[in-house]
Amino acid sequence: MDLFKVDSIDECEEKIFKCIKKSNFDLKYEEVELYKSLNRINYEDIHSKEEAPNFNKSTVDGYAVISKDTSGASETVPTFLDIVGESLMGKEQTISINSGECVYVPTGAMLPEGSNAVVMIEHTENLSQKKIAIYSAVGEGQNVIKKADDIKKEELILKRGKKITSGDIALLSSAGVSRVKVYKKINIAIISTGDELEEYTKEKVDIGKIRDSNSIMLSAICEENFINVYDVVKVEDDYDKLYEKVKYYLDKVDIIVLSGGSSKGKKDYTESVIKDNSEEGILTHGISIKPGKPTITGYNIKNKTIIIGLPGHPVACALIFRILIFGIIEFITSAKLDNKYCIGRITENLKAAPGRMTIQLVNVKEDLTVTPILSKSGIVKSLSKADGYIIIKLNDEGINKGEYVKVHYLT
Amino acid sequence: MDLFKVDSIDECEEKIFKCIKKSNFDLKYEEVELYKSLNRINYEDIHSKEEAPNFNKSTVDGYAVISKDTSGASETVPTFLDIVGESLMGKEQTISINSGECVYVPTGAMLPEGSNAVVMIEHTENLSQKKIAIYSAVGEGQNVIKKADDIKKEELILKRGKKITSGDIALLSSAGVSRVKVYKKINIAIISTGDELEEYTKEKVDIGKIRDSNSIMLSAICEENFINVYDVVKVEDDYDKLYEKVKYYLDKVDIIVLSGGSSKGKKDYTESVIKDNSEEGILTHGISIKPGKPTITGYNIKNKTIIIGLPGHPVACALIFRILIFGIIEFITSAKLDNKYCIGRITENLKAAPGRMTIQLVNVKEDLTVTPILSKSGIVKSLSKADGYIIIKLNDEGINKGEYVKVHYLT
């Protein structure tokens, strides 16, 4: 048998990206209501059509004043001002004030023309219906959000490729944006292969068989990352059946993922099936990564479909899936999907796998000590325990206890 | 007017928790299909009913051997073994091997009785149909996942209160768990108040009015944290209307949130409305936190309903909502919701608000430099820009440029 001619993970990604470019793969967009846009990826730069607020707004309950009038005001030497009116919430304020005058403004109400600051009510005293004492000076603009301070007209408020957060939704709604163009969800078909696999819901599994946990795990990763699972299907270790299944999905999805069946065993048809559905043959057969070496990729140019054969071990399967799929989505949309990390100190020595990049699942404690989850390859429990993973680069020998490491949080 | 008698955020939470305990508030559970359990909170400890794998499993393609037989085997001095059979994927292996014998096993297949290790196919050579040379020694257990290595019978595989991840789903499915009891989603009604508010979808807003961004923002925070929004409604600044609305939701939801109307302005009825719907009156009126001081809480014991008046400023509104609601869910379920953080160096000096805990929104760069987003209170744009927030504790004076700070990532 041939030995693997392995790629680095970067080389593997580059080959896929090249095909994406070459074939003008495009995710396209759909327009959704703003309230349905959470966690979707913004399709184009959004410029505000209006300004916000559209008036000078008080950020406190108090009196709108001309800041100069209050200079020198203190607990012992107050300044006295005439009350000439009151601002009402949500109403345009039409009076204007002159030196020596003030207007009551509740939080969020409009300042009268002429005023440029607000004295908090806590720093004032009503002497009569018409007069107040001010015990604290305010500077120009103090306790005021000026017209257009929050959003200017034509201002770029959301960039293409931004994954939309609740904060973005707050901003967009403030600007009156009620619909957003977002990238369509990438569409994936998951095919699990292997005669040893049983449905995880089956009452009892025979000796020698295992429950298929990879399909439901990959579906969950998709769900939480807003990837559309078009279909999940199990196929026997049979070339013809597998070939037909892959062919069937070619014009229906963006990515076909085969889980299991990518190592060098006699019954591994994944390689030939991917090859025979990719015009340019296998792109990558084997990645210099641990775990995850037996990863195979291909690309169907006619249908613009990426085909990925994932390793069967659950840890490798989950990690390689995340890295490749996130990489593809980020390449197409310019989004940053996996951007929560921390640096912490590792509690144990870690050896790297020679000639491979090593991914190590870890726990992160609240004090940011990082503990590797050491277990044999293929132990599914470690995925449940992990908070994140660290990467030991190719050619690094390992990490010493006490060194700082960068942890990528698993979402 | 009374000055606020403020609580610390901890005191505010303690008062709510006390009421929750006193009234035996209970979220109850529902049973869901495993594939629908992502991000839900596990209701009770789950022990595995079975072991996994249920056989000794090879983690590589190769030959199952008795490890002793291979001792000393090397490139130059191979060991020779007789092939006595082949393991088939998903089949119980009934032959057993003796010293000098081996059996071909693909990745994931069952080891024959008598064998205790697997030699990778890359380290072997077929001399004939019946004989192989082995060029590398293996230790006992090498390339093998032993029966029950992954999951033992009766093993605790998922703790009560764990927020279920894709890794947990992989583990549970491996153990044949197809349904899970999860805490019911906490139920929230959001009432926004304020005569200045317009629907964010409105074509044009009059001068003096603003678009209501808080309701949709809070809904988005709920959506992403698996909190059920029972209803979102806008009510005018009118005591009777607000009172009736709160009363209406008391027996329908777990938490009633009022957004806006909690500062000390003349038209702020929130305080009286919360008071008049809470048997024990106002729990907290004002928190020593910046932003977010004008937060009001109450509790309706009869209906076991928490009532929270949030500040109207969007930044304060979002942050206080997260802290209080997450705190309540964590208290009830023992879950850890907000547990992604990092430590980075701050790029600027930061002053604390005297006598208050300060929450500062920040950006985190890939090199973990932390930049505060300095803007006036109430600027909604800062929520869109932020990656997370840092906390300056009560009585700390501030943070110096270059100091390390702990950043809580916003989800």
Side-chain angles (χ1 to χ4, degrees):
Chain A
M1 278 183 205
D2 288 344
L3 280 174
F4 289 170
K5 289 186 204 83
V6 298
D7 285 337
S8 72
I9 186 85
D10 289 346
E11 286 163 344
C12 170
E13 289 190 315
E14 273 312 313
K15 287 178 180 175
I16 297 172
F17 298 164
K18 224 175 187 173
C19 291
I20 289 175
K21 258 196 228 161
K22 189 173 161 186
S23 62
N24 290 317
F25 180 113
D26 180 13
L27 255 191
K28 302 201 181 69
Y29 72 88
E30 57 187 324
E31 202 170 291
V32 297
E33 301 285 341
L34 182 63
Y35 68 88
K36 285 186 174 170
S37 68
L38 184 70
N39 285 320
R40 301 296 297 273
I41 299 168
N42 186 32
Y43 182 75
E44 59 184 14
D45 288 350
I46 300 178
H47 295 266
S48 182
K49 292 204 178 75
E50 60 187 48
E51 60 190 15
N54 62 16
F55 58 96
N56 295 329
K57 188 169 81 169
S58 177
T59 63
V60 296
D61 296 330
Y63 288 89
V65 299
I66 297 163
S67 61
K68 247 192 335 202
D69 284 355
T70 68
S71 74
S74 70
E75 286 289 332
T76 45
V77 190
T79 295
F80 302 97
L81 295 176
D82 296 329
I83 307 172
V84 296
E86 173 177 352
S87 258
L88 295 175
M89 294 299 289
K91 297 283 181 216
E92 185 168 2
Q93 175 57 277
T94 49
I95 28 169
S96 64
I97 66 166
N98 299 305
S99 183
E101 297 176 342
C102 68
V103 156
Y104 175 76
V105 278
T107 308
M110 182 172 175
L111 268 67
E113 192 74 34
S115 66
N116 62 9
V118 180
V119 183
M120 287 175 81
I121 199 162
E122 290 89 333
H123 301 141
T124 66
E125 188 182 356
N126 274 68
L127 304 177
S128 72
Q129 290 275 57
K130 289 285 178 196
K131 204 150 202 92
I132 55 161
I134 288 182
Y135 295 107
S136 181
V138 284
E140 196 185 327
Q142 200 168 332
N143 300 322
V144 177
I145 294 182
K146 279 200 186 147
K147 192 171 178 236
D149 249 2
D150 210 345
I151 302 168
K152 285 165 196 38
K153 215 175 158 175
E154 301 305 332
E155 181 181 343
L156 173 61
I157 50 174
L158 204 72
K159 279 194 185 157
R160 165 179 177 264
K162 176 91 200 281
K163 191 170 173 189
I164 297 173
T165 65
S166 55
D168 295 326
I169 288 178
L171 179 62
L172 293 171
S173 60
S174 297
V177 175
S178 57
R179 294 176 67 82
V180 200
K181 282 181 186 166
V182 295
Y183 278 98
K184 282 194 178 170
K185 290 182 180 180
I186 207 160
N187 236 334
I188 296 194
I190 299 169
I191 303 174
S192 70
T193 67
D195 293 341
E196 77 280 21
L197 297 181
E198 294 277 19
E199 292 287 327
Y200 74 90
T201 50
K202 208 187 166 195
E203 180 92 25
K204 199 180 172 307
V205 290
D206 295 335
I207 289 175
K209 295 205 186 277
I210 58 166
R211 298 182 184 274
D212 176 16
S213 58
N214 285 358
S215 306
I216 187 174
M217 174 186 72
L218 294 179
S219 300
I221 296 174
C222 288
E223 187 187 336
E224 97 179 307
N225 292 287
F226 300 84
I227 294 161
N228 193 50
V229 179
Y230 180 87
D231 211 351
V232 183
V233 74
K234 192 189 168 251
V235 177
E236 297 158 53
D237 278 337
D238 176 286
Y239 173 86
D240 292 332
K241 286 181 185 162
L242 206 50
Y243 176 83
E244 284 307 320
K245 216 31 149 184
V246 169
K247 206 177 159 196
Y248 170 78
Y249 289 123
L250 279 178
D251 62 351
K252 294 174 184 66
V253 301
D254 303 304
I255 303 176
I256 300 169
V257 161
L258 295 107
S259 153
S262 59
S263 63
K264 277 284 188 190
K266 291 187 188 171
K267 291 222 166 187
D268 294 342
Y269 301 118
T270 308
E271 180 177 355
S272 357
V273 165
I274 294 182
K275 195 169 162 188
D276 299 345
N277 277 295
S278 309
E279 290 93 334
E280 311 205 350
I282 296 289
L283 297 175
T284 292
H285 192 164
I287 304 181
S288 55
I289 197 168
K290 184 189 176 179
K293 193 176 176 187
T295 301
I296 309 175
T297 63
Y299 192 84
N300 185 286
I301 292 174
K302 188 175 151 244
N303 292 287
K304 303 179 186 180
T305 310
I306 301 153
I307 313 174
I308 301 173
L310 289 172
H313 291 170
V315 177
C317 179
L319 290 173
I320 299 295
F321 181 78
R322 293 175 66 90
I323 292 173
L324 288 186
I325 304 293
F326 285 17
I328 291 165
I329 296 175
E330 291 182 346
F331 179 75
I332 296 171
T333 66
S334 317
K336 280 297 287 172
L337 296 183
D338 213 2
N339 57 354
K340 290 193 173 68
Y341 24 68
C342 70
I343 289 179
R345 293 184 93 132
I346 195 129
T347 58
E348 290 177 47
N349 293 329
L350 269 185
K351 256 202 276 182
R356 294 205 256 168
M357 181 175 118
T358 306
I359 308 184
Q360 174 63 54
L361 291 173
V362 296
N363 281 127
V364 183
K365 291 223 178 64
E366 219 180 316
D367 62 0
L368 292 171
T369 53
V370 177
T371 312
I373 299 171
L374 299 169
S375 67
K376 283 191 188 171
S377 158
I379 292 282
V380 65
K381 211 187 296 171
S382 46
L383 277 173
S384 165
K385 282 186 189 163
D387 298 309
Y389 63 88
I390 62 173
I391 290 173
I392 309 176
K393 281 189 207 134
L394 188 72
N395 300 326
D396 279 6
E397 281 184 17
I399 298 173
N400 294 320
K401 182 177 164 175
E403 268 187 63
Y404 285 99
V405 289
K406 179 168 182 176
V407 179
H408 300 253
Y409 281 112
L410 292 166
T411 39
Chain B
M1 278 185 203
D2 288 342
L3 281 173
F4 288 170
K5 289 187 204 82
V6 298
D7 285 338
S8 72
I9 186 84
D10 289 347
E11 286 163 345
C12 170
E13 289 189 315
E14 274 311 314
K15 287 178 180 176
I16 297 173
F17 297 164
K18 223 176 187 173
C19 290
I20 288 175
K21 257 196 229 161
K22 190 174 161 184
S23 62
N24 290 316
F25 180 113
D26 181 13
L27 255 191
K28 302 198 180 70
Y29 71 88
E30 56 187 326
E31 203 170 291
V32 297
E33 300 286 340
L34 183 62
Y35 67 87
K36 286 187 174 168
S37 69
L38 184 70
N39 284 319
R40 302 295 298 274
I41 299 168
N42 186 32
Y43 183 75
E44 59 184 14
D45 287 351
I46 300 178
H47 295 265
S48 182
K49 292 204 177 74
E50 59 188 48
E51 60 189 15
N54 64 16
F55 59 96
N56 295 330
K57 189 169 82 169
S58 177
T59 63
V60 295
D61 296 330
Y63 288 90
V65 298
I66 297 162
S67 62
K68 249 193 331 200
D69 284 355
T70 70
S71 73
S74 70
E75 286 289 334
T76 46
V77 189
T79 296
F80 302 97
L81 295 176
D82 297 327
I83 306 172
V84 298
E86 172 177 352
S87 257
L88 296 176
M89 293 300 288
K91 297 282 182 215
E92 184 167 2
Q93 175 59 275
T94 48
I95 27 169
S96 63
I97 66 167
N98 300 307
S99 184
E101 296 176 342
C102 68
V103 156
Y104 175 76
V105 279
T107 309
M110 182 171 173
L111 269 67
E113 192 74 33
S115 67
N116 62 9
V118 179
V119 183
M120 287 176 80
I121 200 161
E122 289 89 333
H123 301 142
T124 66
E125 187 182 356
N126 275 68
L127 304 176
S128 73
Q129 290 275 57
K130 288 286 175 195
K131 207 152 199 90
I132 55 162
I134 288 183
Y135 295 108
S136 180
V138 284
E140 197 185 327
Q142 200 168 330
N143 300 322
V144 177
I145 292 182
K146 280 201 186 147
K147 192 173 179 234
D149 250 1
D150 210 345
I151 301 167
K152 286 167 194 37
K153 213 174 162 178
E154 301 305 331
E155 182 181 343
L156 174 61
I157 49 174
L158 204 72
K159 279 192 185 159
R160 165 178 177 264
K162 176 92 198 282
K163 191 170 172 188
I164 297 173
T165 65
S166 55
D168 295 327
I169 288 178
L171 179 62
L172 293 171
S173 61
S174 298
V177 175
S178 56
R179 295 175 66 82
V180 200
K181 283 181 188 168
V182 295
Y183 279 98
K184 282 193 178 172
K185 289 182 181 181
I186 207 159
N187 236 333
I188 296 195
I190 298 170
I191 304 174
S192 70
T193 67
D195 293 341
E196 77 281 20
L197 296 181
E198 293 277 20
E199 291 287 326
Y200 74 90
T201 50
K202 209 186 168 197
E203 181 91 26
K204 198 181 172 310
V205 290
D206 296 333
I207 289 176
K209 293 201 186 281
I210 58 166
R211 298 182 184 276
D212 176 16
S213 59
N214 285 357
S215 305
I216 187 174
M217 173 186 73
L218 294 179
S219 300
I221 296 174
C222 288
E223 186 187 335
E224 105 177 298
N225 292 288
F226 300 83
I227 294 161
N228 194 50
V229 179
Y230 180 86
D231 211 351
V232 183
V233 74
K234 191 189 168 253
V235 177
E236 297 159 52
D237 278 335
D238 176 287
Y239 174 86
D240 291 333
K241 285 182 184 162
L242 206 52
Y243 176 84
E244 283 308 320
K245 216 31 150 184
V246 170
K247 206 176 157 196
Y248 170 79
Y249 288 123
L250 280 177
D251 62 350
K252 294 173 183 65
V253 300
D254 302 306
I255 303 176
I256 300 169
V257 161
L258 296 107
S259 153
S262 59
S263 64
K264 277 286 188 187
K266 292 188 187 170
K267 289 222 168 187
D268 295 341
Y269 300 119
T270 307
E271 180 178 355
S272 357
V273 165
I274 294 182
K275 195 169 163 188
D276 298 345
N277 277 295
S278 309
E279 290 94 335
E280 309 204 352
I282 296 290
L283 296 174
T284 290
H285 192 164
I287 304 181
S288 54
I289 197 169
K290 184 189 177 181
K293 194 177 175 187
T295 302
I296 310 174
T297 63
Y299 192 84
N300 185 285
I301 292 175
K302 188 175 151 243
N303 292 288
K304 304 179 185 180
T305 310
I306 301 155
I307 313 173
I308 301 174
L310 289 172
H313 291 168
V315 177
C317 179
L319 290 173
I320 299 295
F321 182 77
R322 292 175 66 90
I323 292 173
L324 288 186
I325 304 293
F326 285 17
I328 290 165
I329 295 175
E330 291 182 345
F331 178 76
I332 295 171
T333 66
S334 317
K336 281 295 288 171
L337 296 183
D338 213 3
N339 57 354
K340 291 192 173 68
Y341 25 68
C342 70
I343 288 178
R345 294 184 91 133
I346 196 133
T347 58
E348 292 178 45
N349 293 328
L350 269 186
K351 255 202 278 185
R356 295 204 255 169
M357 181 175 119
T358 306
I359 308 184
Q360 174 64 53
L361 291 172
V362 296
N363 282 126
V364 184
K365 291 223 178 65
E366 218 181 316
D367 62 359
L368 292 173
T369 54
V370 177
T371 312
I373 300 170
L374 298 169
S375 67
K376 284 192 189 170
S377 160
I379 293 282
V380 65
K381 210 188 296 172
S382 46
L383 277 172
S384 166
K385 283 186 189 163
D387 298 310
Y389 62 88
I390 62 171
I391 290 172
I392 309 176
K393 279 187 210 139
L394 187 73
N395 299 328
D396 279 7
E397 282 184 15
I399 298 173
N400 293 320
K401 183 178 163 173
E403 268 187 63
Y404 285 99
V405 289
K406 180 169 182 176
V407 178
H408 299 254
Y409 282 111
L410 290 166
T411 37

